[in-house]
Structure formats: structure tokens, C-alpha cells
Amino acid sequence: MASRPTPRGRAVRPVQLVAMMLAFLLIAVAGGVLMAGLLLPAVGSVGAIGNATTDLFDELPTELEIDEPSEQSVMLDAEGNVLATFFAENRVVVGFDEISQHMKDAVVAVEDRRFYEHGGVDPEGILRATVRNLAGGDLEGASTLTQQYVKNVQIEESRVKNDPELYQAATETTIARKLREARLAIALEQVRSKDEILTGYLNIAQFGPSQWGVEAAAHHYFNKSAADLDIAESALLAGITQSPAKWDPVTNPENAERRRNTVLGTMLSEGFITQAEYDEAVAIPVPEMLDVQDAPRGCGVAGNAAYFCQYVVNEILNNEAYGETVEDRRQLLNRGGLTIHTTLDPEKQEAAFDAVTGAVPIDDPSGISVALSSIEPGTGRIFAMAQNTNYGVANENDPRATQVNYNVGKSHGGGSGFQSGSTFKVFTLVQWLREGNSLMDRVNSANRFFARKDWTISCAPEVADNYEPKNLEGFGGGVETVLESTRTSINTSFVVMAQQMDLCDITGIAMDMGVETGSGEPLQNNPAMILGSNTVTPLSMANAYATLAAGGIACEPVAITRIIDRTGEEIPVPPSDCQRVLEEDVVRGVNHALQAVMGPEWDSTGSTARIPGRPTAGKTGTANDDTHAWFIGYVPQMAAAVWMGHADRDEQMGYEYINGIWRNRVYGGLIAAPTWKAYMERATEGMPVEDFADAPSRVVHGERLRVPSIGGQTVEDARRTLEQAGFDVRMGHAVDSGWPEGLAVATSPAAGSAAQRGQTVTIYTSGGRAAETEDRSDEDRDDRERRENRDRDEDRRRGDDRRDNDRGRDDGDRGERGNRGRGGNDD
């Protein structure tokens, strides 16, 4: 890169240089330093030398824009504990009264003993430097503290703007640069007090290899504030600024001690300290003075909250509310002196980390990862975010260390997401109820083939394909209620339900509720997605289920509550975007079904996550071939998602030791569900026990219709009447009746009673009076059959009809029923 030209393109000729130096000296000696910028033109009117000087001085700057120097930002959890600090330069800005007087004296003594006497430039120093420079020796600066402050301000500006040319202009070893500094220093002293200039210098100067400003340096070397520095400590720090690497007391203690003693000698000769104080200070070995405290930056110091910290950083870098460009936002974070208040609950975070590492330890030979995200319904506030890996770069001692956050997608430092298995069935259930269906509707859960033409995919009709899902172990099922199919997670039932709807509506409501893929792309619409083929993130799934806990209110996840800048002013934080996406009746119906999933029955897939005494709802999920296992659940005040699997590949879990226990297979109810329970039991301690709102009868049982009377109609007319009323129809046997034989005379359920829309109504026909006299036993048998049918109907309405659930499973498969779909997922 070409070197930065002298401002305004003017070169300094030797005659001009001499003229300017003489002008400075004359004015300064005359006591008019503060007016140098005004009087130099008058001096320049004397002779040719003055004429050569005037134009050049007119072109030198007279004002210096001084922004606050870069300052470290700090991130806090919800209780105010520090999670991490961020800085380009480790600096904490403090006021004049927050700096030890010894420190101020030491800097003035060694850097500019006439600081409180001159007006920005020191005539004695200029004369001495001029003589030496004209004699051909090394260029000597003779800079005052004010000039050094000007130089540091310009260097800081170059760093903030990432402008190498500005840096070169501020540091070049030329007379022109010294002249610019001099005039700026003169102008600065007309608008700033000496104490303000000294404070600015002490906050901006470099006091160590990685320490800027006296406060950061005091904490680094002595573990104390700048206000508490004693004489020896002040002298040590004041000596460092001349050459931070050479005089660093950690790496060069002998050099640092010699330099410290030089500063102490100057302080003594200038009357800042007494002989006794000098003697005491020089007697202390430098190593004995130090209490070094490193100030590591970034999320690596946030412990088990490092991945949450990384999420917050990406929230700032991704959001235009914090700057027009990513670089602007990064500068704000690293140089803006922000105080970032976050939503992280430290107790819940500790519980989350203990739960995931308790399930699968960090160094477990299985290499299986576990991640957990916890969120507050109705606000989107993230309570906890943990995984069973150390934050960092993989190495020989820790091959599983990673900076990839398994809870989130690529935009926030995560990956591509994971197949969700049967946890995605919830969105089919949601849409099923939204379209007016009920939990007690019956679907045929038998394995079957679905042809391409069977699907409605309005937003992407070209992706429709043949699909043949399978229930666990290949066994089919009979007619099941939707509630029972949800409780035991039967694949084909949900495929049958989805086949009756538009798949785009299912993925649409899932995204409305908060589901996101790891890549950020929309959810894919295809038959396999019904059983969870989309790769989604744990945080977004926890957030979607939180929508159910919140009664249908979906919120964007929130990690930042407040940001305070260095002046104490608040930077506006984007508000939580919450809106209603589901009808309350639908939500109550889904909650009713997902509570059954966590029922006490042995074949309820979520029974291992059940928390006695606290209403809970949730859903298990297992991807094809046990490659990923999930449990997502909630109480009214909190939702959490647990995922486990191999983070970088779809590899079967099982037939291995996991946390010291041999596992033939791994499914959602086996490890993920108990992990969720372990977290929730601790996270809900002290939290009031709240019930879910009751589900409306219409959502549970469906629309109740009055069964019309069909007595005396022909069978064809009776069938038509019932079907038009909203019922399915089947024929029963003939019964004794005064009606002519063959006419419809009665129904079950009986005429006038309430029945569910779509329920099957049986038509009974007249057998004439002869039926009674010919075979009374037939009537008795018919009466028994009717009673048995009524009892069976009642049992089914209550959801208590139980099929033989063995179907080739043993107790080791408890909690995972029937969900192996070709090209899809199982649970």
C-alpha cells in the first residue's frame, strides 16, 4: 500500500522547517504558546523565511476530534454475574478521581515534568531537539504529554477505522508529523483542562503488551484498581509506556526494575516523593510486587455457558439494530464498552449442564453428543443452553472439543440441525385439530402403501412421491383414536391424518410456531417430513413446543434483555416478537394429548420423563435407525428440548456402552426423556405447580350431533338421512317391530342422542312380529349384542380400548411404539 502523503500534499523544505522551529521558539519564549496558532502569520511577515512559513502553518490542522477510546464490553447473566468480556484492546476507562495521585505524579515526572507549566508544547524541549536534529543526530521528539495524547488519539482512530494509512500518518518519523502534533496540542489545551488531558492520556496509553489504560494495567499486574496504586506500583507502570515489551515486568523483570527506579529517581528530584519513600520503593523486588491476573476475552471463559455466550455474540453480529454492517457491530462489541444483560439463568444453566453430562459424560467413549435448550413460554427468553462438549478447538487431549453449538443453526454458530423423528408429529396433530377434527377420531393404523396421487402439497406439488411407512417391527395396527395414536406414537396413523390434509399447511404451522432448520432454509414438504425427516435445531423445537405451553403465542427466542453503553445510556434492544399463531381450543387439545404421552402406562412413550405431582406434556422422537433421539416437553412456565446423537453424521446409536451401560438400541424414551426429567426437576424447584387448561369437548370428542330418527324409512332413505347428518353408517340385524319387515326402525346410538360427527351409526331393520315368537333366544342374543356394542362404543369414547401392545416388542422397547417409516423416521 502506498504511504500516506503529508496532509494537503505539501512537503516541508529545510528553509521552512528552520523558519517554523524559530517561530515556535520565539513565540513560546515570549510566553505566547497558547496563541501560537494566531501569531505565527505575524511572525511569518518578517522576511523571506517568514513568507515560507505562513502558508504551511495555515494548512496544518487546528482541531482534534477525540472520541472515547475503545473499551472492553462485558456480558452478564440474568443475575448480573460476568459471563465474558470482549475487547480489541483491554481497557477500562476511569475518571480523574479514580486514579491514584501517585500514578499521576509518576507519569508527569517521567514523561513531561513541565506539564502544568507549558501550553501544549515545551520550548525547552523543542530547542534541545532542534539543535540535536539539525546536528544530524537521531530525530528527537521532545513531545509533551499533550502531544503524546494527540498521537495516541490518532493511533486509536486508525485502529477503530482499521485504516493502515491513518496509522502510518500518526506514527511516521517526520518533522511534518511533529508539527501537526504540536499545533493540535496547542489547540487542544485551549479547550481541555490539564486534568482532562492527563486523564485522557492515562486511559489511552499502552501500559503493557496487551493492556491499554491504567485501570486495566493495574488489574493485570497488581489485581487492584488504579485508585489504589502505591508509589512503587505507579512508578513501575509509568515506566512501561516508553516501550511496553521491553519494560514488561512479567517477561523482563530486571529491565522493568531498572526503569522503575529511574522513574522513582525522577519523582524524587521533582519533589513528588520523599527520600524515605524513594528508599522504601526501590527496595522492593519487582517479582514481589506482582499479582498477575490475565484477562482472557471471548466466550471461552464463560465455562459451561460458552455456547450461550456464542449465541449472544452472533445475535449482535447478525442484527442490523446494532450497526449497519457486520464490521460495525463487531467494533461495537469489541470497542464500545457495552454492558450486555442476558436471559441466562445460572441455576438452570448449571442444571442443564449437569443433566446432559450426567446422561453422556464429556469424555464418554461412545462419542455421542447431547444438547439441551430451555426457553420461557410467552416471552421467548432463553433460560439455559448446554451440551456435553468443551468449548474450544479439538486437540489431542480433548478430541471432542468444539465451537459448534449443537442447539442452534449455522447463523448462530451451530450446524445443519438433526432429523427430529416423531417429535414432528405434533405439527400434524396441530393441523388436524385446526381443521375441525378431534382426538377421538379414528384412523386405520395398518401399514399400507400411499401412492403419489394420494398427497396434497399445494406449495410444491412436484415433490409428491410414493410412500410406504412402517410401524415398529413391521406390525400393522387396527383402528385407533388419534389420542391413542399420539400416546403410543404410531407412525401410520399420522401419515393417514396428514394424507387427508395439505402438507404445506403442516410445515407452515410448524414454522409459525418457531421451527427452524439448521441451514435456515424453509422446511421441506414431502411425505417423509410427517415422521421427522427435516433437520431442525433443538432451540427452535423447544421454542415451538413453548408456543403450546403459552396457549398459542409464538415468540422469537430472546437472549439479550438490555445493553448499556459506556455513558450509561441504553442501546435499544429489538423487542421480543410475540404473536398468536394458534387458536386456544386447538392448543388445549394438543396439550391434552401430549399429557397422555407422559402418562403412567408402560406403553406411553414419554412415561420415563413424567414428574409426579407436576402436570407435564411432551413428545419423544427417534430418527430412522436410531441415529438421533429426542425428548421435547414443557410445563406451563417452561419448555425444554433434549437431543442426542452423533453431531457430524447420521450414525446408528446402540450396540455399545453409553455412560457405562450396554445399549442394544437408543430411542427417545430411553435416555433423552430421563435427561429432560433430570433437568426439569431441578429447574422447576420453587416454581408454582400449574395445570394446563382443560380441552374443550369438541376438540376431544369432536362435534356432537343429534342422531335423526329414521323409523319407517327404507334402508336407502335411512342411510341417506344419517349420512347427510354427518355420520358413517353400517347395517345391523333385524329386530322385532310392528313396522313392515325390511324397513329401518332404529339406530345405535338411538335417535335423539348426541354423537360425534363421523361416528358410525348402526341401522336396525324390522323383522316383523314373527321374530319374537319364532326365536326368543335370537332376541336375547340381539339384546346382548346391542348392550355389548353400547359398552364398546362408550369404552372407545373414553379412550380406554386397548389393543394387544406386545406385537413382537419386549420391555426394552418401552416408550417407542410403531414408527419406522421408510425414508422417514421412527419413535
Side-chain angles (χ1 to χ4, degrees), residues 171-226:
T171 58
E172 60 187 359
T173 310
T174 64
I175 295 297
R177 192 262 295 174
K178 300 296 292 185
L179 291 174
R180 290 196 302 273
E181 279 181 9
R183 187 161 185 181
L184 287 170
I186 293 169
L188 182 63
E189 294 233 3
Q190 296 180 65
V191 295
R192 297 285 181 96
S193 70
K194 289 289 186 178
D195 288 351
E196 288 175 329
I197 293 170
L198 179 57
T199 303
Y201 172 82
L202 287 169
N203 276 314
I204 203 170
Q206 187 175 358
F207 285 92
S210 301
Q211 290 71 43
W212 279 262
V214 66
E215 180 73 5
H219 278 284
H220 174 68
Y221 289 114
F222 312 119
N223 193 22
K224 62 171 58 176
S225 170

Coordinates of all heavy atoms in Angstrom, one line a residue, residues 171-226:
T171 N 2.2 7.8 13.1 CA 3.5 7.3 13.7 C 4.7 7.5 12.9 O 5.8 7.2 13.3 CB 3.3 5.7 13.9 OG1 3.0 5.1 12.6 CG2 2.2 5.4 14.8
E172 N 4.6 8.1 11.7 CA 5.8 8.3 10.9 C 6.8 9.2 11.6 O 6.4 10.2 12.3 CB 5.4 8.9 9.5 CG 4.7 10.3 9.6 CD 4.2 10.8 8.3 OE1 4.3 10.0 7.3 OE2 3.6 11.8 8.2
T173 N 8.1 9.0 11.3 CA 9.2 9.7 12.0 C 9.6 10.9 11.1 O 10.6 10.8 10.4 CB 10.4 8.8 12.3 OG1 9.9 7.6 12.9 CG2 11.4 9.5 13.1
T174 N 8.7 11.9 11.1 CA 9.0 13.1 10.3 C 8.7 14.3 11.1 O 8.0 14.4 12.0 CB 8.1 13.1 9.0 OG1 6.7 13.2 9.4 CG2 8.3 11.8 8.2
I175 N 9.4 15.4 10.6 CA 9.2 16.7 11.2 C 7.7 17.2 11.0 O 7.1 17.8 11.9 CB 10.2 17.8 10.7 CG1 11.6 17.4 11.1 CG2 9.8 19.2 11.2 CD1 11.8 17.4 12.6
A176 N 7.2 16.9 9.8 CA 5.8 17.3 9.5 C 4.8 16.7 10.5 O 3.9 17.4 10.9 CB 5.5 16.8 8.1
R177 N 5.0 15.4 10.8 CA 4.1 14.8 11.8 C 4.2 15.5 13.2 O 3.2 15.8 13.9 CB 4.4 13.3 11.9 CG 3.3 12.5 12.7 CD 3.7 12.3 14.1 NE 4.9 11.4 14.3 CZ 5.4 11.2 15.4 NH1 5.0 11.7 16.5 NH2 6.5 10.4 15.5
K178 N 5.5 15.8 13.6 CA 5.7 16.5 14.9 C 5.0 17.9 14.9 O 4.5 18.3 15.9 CB 7.2 16.6 15.2 CG 7.9 15.3 15.2 CD 7.4 14.4 16.4 CE 7.8 15.0 17.7 NZ 7.4 14.1 18.8
L179 N 5.1 18.6 13.7 CA 4.5 19.9 13.6 C 2.9 19.8 13.7 O 2.3 20.6 14.4 CB 4.8 20.6 12.3 CG 6.3 21.0 12.2 CD1 6.6 21.5 10.8 CD2 6.7 22.0 13.3
R180 N 2.4 18.8 13.1 CA 0.9 18.6 13.2 C 0.5 18.3 14.7 O -0.4 18.9 15.2 CB 0.5 17.4 12.3 CG 0.5 17.7 10.8 CD -0.3 16.7 10.1 NE 0.1 15.3 10.3 CZ 1.1 14.7 9.6 NH1 1.8 15.3 8.7 NH2 1.4 13.4 9.9
E181 N 1.3 17.4 15.3 CA 1.0 17.1 16.7 C 1.1 18.4 17.6 O 0.3 18.6 18.5 CB 2.0 16.1 17.3 CG 1.7 14.7 16.9 CD 2.7 13.7 17.5 OE1 3.6 14.2 18.3 OE2 2.7 12.5 17.2
A182 N 2.1 19.2 17.3 CA 2.4 20.4 18.1 C 1.2 21.4 18.0 O 0.7 21.9 19.0 CB 3.6 21.1 17.7
R183 N 0.7 21.6 16.8 CA -0.4 22.6 16.6 C -1.6 22.0 17.2 O -2.4 22.8 17.8 CB -0.6 23.0 15.1 CG -1.6 24.1 15.0 CD -1.5 24.7 13.6 NE -2.4 25.9 13.6 CZ -2.6 26.7 12.5 NH1 -1.8 26.5 11.5 NH2 -3.4 27.6 12.6
L184 N -1.9 20.7 17.0 CA -3.1 20.1 17.6 C -3.0 20.2 19.1 O -4.0 20.4 19.8 CB -3.2 18.7 17.1 CG -3.7 18.5 15.7 CD1 -3.6 17.0 15.3 CD2 -5.1 19.0 15.5
A185 N -1.8 20.0 19.7 CA -1.7 20.0 21.1 C -2.0 21.4 21.6 O -2.6 21.6 22.7 CB -0.3 19.6 21.5
I186 N -1.5 22.5 20.9 CA -1.8 23.8 21.3 C -3.2 24.1 21.3 O -3.8 24.7 22.2 CB -1.0 24.8 20.4 CG1 0.5 24.7 20.6 CG2 -1.5 26.3 20.6 CD1 1.3 25.4 19.5
A187 N -3.9 23.7 20.2 CA -5.3 23.9 20.1 C -6.1 23.2 21.2 O -7.1 23.7 21.7 CB -5.8 23.5 18.7
L188 N -5.7 21.9 21.5 CA -6.4 21.1 22.5 C -6.3 21.8 23.9 O -7.3 21.7 24.6 CB -5.7 19.7 22.5 CG -6.4 18.7 23.5 CD1 -7.8 18.4 23.1 CD2 -5.6 17.4 23.5
E189 N -5.2 22.3 24.2 CA -5.1 22.9 25.5 C -5.9 24.2 25.7 O -6.1 24.7 26.8 CB -3.6 23.2 25.8 CG -2.7 22.0 25.9 CD -1.9 22.0 27.2 OE1 -2.1 22.9 28.0 OE2 -1.1 21.0 27.4
Q190 N -6.5 24.7 24.6 CA -7.4 25.8 24.7 C -8.8 25.4 25.0 O -9.6 26.2 25.5 CB -7.4 26.6 23.4 CG -6.0 27.2 23.1 CD -6.0 28.0 21.8 OE1 -6.7 29.0 21.7 NE2 -5.3 27.6 20.8
V191 N -9.1 24.1 24.9 CA -10.4 23.6 25.1 C -10.5 22.6 26.2 O -11.6 22.2 26.6 CB -11.1 23.1 23.8 CG1 -11.2 24.2 22.8 CG2 -10.2 22.0 23.2
R192 N -9.4 22.0 26.6 CA -9.4 21.0 27.6 C -8.5 21.4 28.8 O -7.4 22.0 28.6 CB -8.9 19.6 27.1 CG -9.7 19.0 26.0 CD -11.0 18.4 26.6 NE -11.8 17.8 25.5 CZ -11.8 16.5 25.2 NH1 -10.9 15.7 25.8 NH2 -12.5 16.0 24.2
S193 N -8.9 21.1 30.0 CA -8.1 21.4 31.2 C -6.9 20.4 31.2 O -6.9 19.3 30.6 CB -8.9 21.3 32.4 OG -9.2 19.9 32.7
K194 N -5.9 20.7 32.0 CA -4.7 19.8 32.2 C -5.2 18.5 32.8 O -4.7 17.4 32.4 CB -3.7 20.5 33.1 CG -3.0 21.7 32.5 CD -2.0 21.2 31.5 CE -1.1 22.4 31.0 NZ -0.1 22.0 29.9
D195 N -6.1 18.5 33.8 CA -6.5 17.3 34.4 C -7.3 16.4 33.4 O -7.1 15.2 33.4 CB -7.4 17.6 35.6 CG -6.6 18.1 36.8 OD1 -5.4 18.1 36.7 OD2 -7.3 18.6 37.7
E196 N -8.0 17.0 32.5 CA -8.7 16.3 31.5 C -7.8 15.6 30.5 O -7.9 14.5 30.1 CB -9.7 17.2 30.7 CG -10.9 17.6 31.5 CD -11.8 18.6 30.8 OE1 -11.3 19.4 30.0 OE2 -13.0 18.5 31.0
I197 N -6.7 16.4 30.1 CA -5.7 15.8 29.2 C -5.0 14.7 29.9 O -4.7 13.6 29.2 CB -4.8 16.9 28.7 CG1 -5.6 17.9 27.9 CG2 -3.6 16.4 28.0 CD1 -4.8 19.2 27.5
L198 N -4.6 14.9 31.1 CA -3.8 13.8 31.8 C -4.7 12.6 32.0 O -4.2 11.4 31.8 CB -3.4 14.3 33.2 CG -2.6 13.3 34.1 CD1 -1.4 12.8 33.3 CD2 -2.2 14.0 35.4
T199 N -6.0 12.7 32.3 CA -6.9 11.6 32.4 C -7.0 10.9 31.1 O -7.0 9.6 31.0 CB -8.2 12.0 32.9 OG1 -8.1 12.7 34.1 CG2 -9.2 10.8 33.1
G200 N -7.2 11.7 30.0 CA -7.3 11.0 28.7 C -6.0 10.3 28.3 O -6.1 9.1 27.8
Y201 N -4.9 10.8 28.6 CA -3.6 10.1 28.4 C -3.5 8.8 29.2 O -3.2 7.7 28.6 CB -2.4 11.0 28.7 CG -1.1 10.2 28.6 CD1 -0.5 10.1 27.4 CD2 -0.5 9.7 29.7 CE1 0.7 9.4 27.3 CE2 0.7 9.0 29.6 CZ 1.3 8.8 28.4 OH 2.5 8.1 28.3
L202 N -3.9 8.8 30.4 CA -3.8 7.6 31.3 C -4.8 6.6 30.9 O -4.6 5.4 31.1 CB -4.0 8.0 32.7 CG -2.8 8.8 33.4 CD1 -3.3 9.4 34.7 CD2 -1.6 7.9 33.6
N203 N -5.9 6.9 30.2 CA -6.8 6.0 29.8 C -6.5 5.4 28.4 O -7.0 4.3 28.1 CB -8.2 6.6 29.7 CG -8.9 6.6 31.1 OD1 -8.9 5.6 31.7 ND2 -9.5 7.7 31.4
I204 N -5.7 6.1 27.6 CA -5.5 5.6 26.2 C -4.1 5.0 26.0 O -3.9 4.2 25.1 CB -5.7 6.8 25.2 CG1 -6.0 6.3 23.8 CG2 -4.5 7.7 25.2 CD1 -6.5 7.4 22.9
A205 N -3.2 5.4 26.8 CA -1.8 4.9 26.6 C -1.7 3.4 26.9 O -2.5 2.8 27.6 CB -0.8 5.6 27.6
Q206 N -0.7 2.8 26.3 CA -0.4 1.4 26.4 C 0.5 1.1 27.6 O 1.6 1.6 27.6 CB 0.2 0.8 25.1 CG 0.4 -0.7 25.2 CD 0.8 -1.3 23.8 OE1 1.1 -0.6 22.9 NE2 1.0 -2.6 23.8
F207 N 0.1 0.3 28.6 CA 0.8 0.1 29.8 C 1.3 -1.4 29.9 O 1.7 -1.8 31.0 CB 0.0 0.4 31.0 CG -0.1 1.9 31.3 CD1 -1.2 2.6 30.7 CD2 0.8 2.6 32.0 CE1 -1.4 3.9 30.9 CE2 0.7 4.0 32.2 CZ -0.4 4.6 31.7
G208 N 1.3 -2.1 28.8 CA 1.8 -3.5 28.8 C 1.5 -4.0 27.4 O 0.9 -3.4 26.5
P209 N 2.0 -5.2 27.1 CA 1.9 -5.8 25.8 C 0.5 -5.9 25.3 O 0.2 -5.8 24.2 CB 2.5 -7.2 26.0 CG 3.5 -7.1 27.1 CD 2.8 -6.1 28.1
S210 N -0.5 -6.2 26.3 CA -1.9 -6.3 25.9 C -2.8 -5.5 26.8 O -4.0 -5.8 27.0 CB -2.3 -7.8 25.9 OG -1.5 -8.5 25.1
Q211 N -2.2 -4.5 27.5 CA -3.0 -3.7 28.4 C -3.0 -2.2 28.0 O -1.9 -1.6 27.8 CB -2.4 -3.8 29.9 CG -2.6 -5.1 30.5 CD -1.8 -6.2 29.9 OE1 -0.6 -6.0 29.6 NE2 -2.4 -7.4 29.7
W212 N -4.2 -1.7 27.8 CA -4.3 -0.3 27.5 C -5.1 0.4 28.6 O -6.1 0.0 29.1 CB -5.1 -0.1 26.2 CG -4.2 -0.3 24.9 CD1 -3.7 0.6 24.2 CD2 -3.9 -1.6 24.3 NE1 -3.0 0.0 23.1 CE2 -3.1 -1.3 23.2 CE3 -4.2 -2.9 24.7 CZ2 -2.6 -2.3 22.4 CZ3 -3.6 -3.9 23.9 CH2 -2.8 -3.6 22.7
G213 N -4.6 1.6 29.0 CA -5.2 2.3 30.1 C -4.7 1.9 31.4 O -4.4 0.7 31.6
V214 N -4.7 2.8 32.3 CA -4.1 2.5 33.7 C -4.9 1.5 34.5 O -4.4 0.7 35.3 CB -3.8 3.8 34.4 CG1 -5.1 4.5 34.7 CG2 -3.0 3.6 35.7
E215 N -6.3 1.6 34.3 CA -7.1 0.7 35.1 C -6.9 -0.8 34.7 O -6.7 -1.6 35.6 CB -8.6 1.1 34.9 CG -9.6 0.2 35.7 CD -9.6 0.5 37.2 OE1 -8.9 1.5 37.6 OE2 -10.3 -0.2 37.9
A216 N -6.9 -1.1 33.4 CA -6.7 -2.5 33.0 C -5.3 -2.9 33.4 O -5.1 -4.1 33.8 CB -6.8 -2.6 31.5
A217 N -4.3 -2.0 33.3 CA -2.9 -2.4 33.7 C -2.8 -2.7 35.2 O -2.1 -3.6 35.6 CB -2.0 -1.3 33.3
A218 N -3.5 -1.9 36.0 CA -3.5 -2.1 37.5 C -4.1 -3.4 37.8 O -3.6 -4.2 38.7 CB -4.2 -1.0 38.2
H219 N -5.2 -3.8 37.2 CA -5.8 -5.1 37.4 C -4.9 -6.2 37.0 O -4.8 -7.3 37.6 CB -7.2 -5.2 36.8 CG -8.2 -4.5 37.5 ND1 -8.8 -5.1 38.6 CD2 -8.9 -3.3 37.4 CE1 -9.8 -4.3 39.1 NE2 -9.8 -3.2 38.4
H220 N -4.3 -6.0 35.8 CA -3.4 -7.1 35.2 C -2.2 -7.4 36.1 O -1.9 -8.5 36.4 CB -3.0 -6.7 33.8 CG -2.0 -7.7 33.2 ND1 -2.4 -9.0 32.9 CD2 -0.7 -7.6 32.9 CE1 -1.3 -9.6 32.4 NE2 -0.3 -8.8 32.4
Y221 N -1.5 -6.4 36.5 CA -0.2 -6.6 37.2 C -0.3 -6.7 38.7 O 0.4 -7.5 39.3 CB 0.8 -5.4 36.9 CG 1.3 -5.4 35.4 CD1 0.9 -4.4 34.6 CD2 2.1 -6.4 35.0 CE1 1.4 -4.4 33.2 CE2 2.6 -6.4 33.7 CZ 2.2 -5.4 32.8 OH 2.7 -5.4 31.5
F222 N -1.3 -6.0 39.2 CA -1.4 -6.0 40.7 C -2.7 -6.4 41.3 O -2.9 -6.5 42.5 CB -1.1 -4.5 41.2 CG 0.1 -3.9 40.6 CD1 0.0 -2.8 39.8 CD2 1.4 -4.5 40.7 CE1 1.1 -2.2 39.2 CE2 2.5 -3.9 40.2 CZ 2.4 -2.8 39.4
N223 N -3.7 -6.8 40.4 CA -5.0 -7.2 40.9 C -5.7 -6.2 41.8 O -6.2 -6.5 42.8 CB -4.9 -8.6 41.6 CG -6.3 -9.2 41.8 OD1 -7.3 -8.9 41.1 ND2 -6.4 -10.1 42.8
K224 N -5.6 -4.9 41.4 CA -6.2 -3.8 42.1 C -6.6 -2.7 41.2 O -6.3 -2.7 40.0 CB -5.3 -3.3 43.2 CG -4.0 -2.7 42.6 CD -3.2 -1.9 43.7 CE -2.8 -2.8 44.8 NZ -1.9 -2.1 45.8
S225 N -7.4 -1.8 41.7 CA -7.8 -0.7 40.9 C -6.8 0.4 40.8 O -5.9 0.5 41.6 CB -9.1 -0.1 41.5 OG -9.4 1.1 40.9
A226 N -6.8 1.2 39.7 CA -5.9 2.3 39.6 C -5.9 3.3 40.7 O -5.0 4.0 41.0 CB -6.2 3.0 38.3

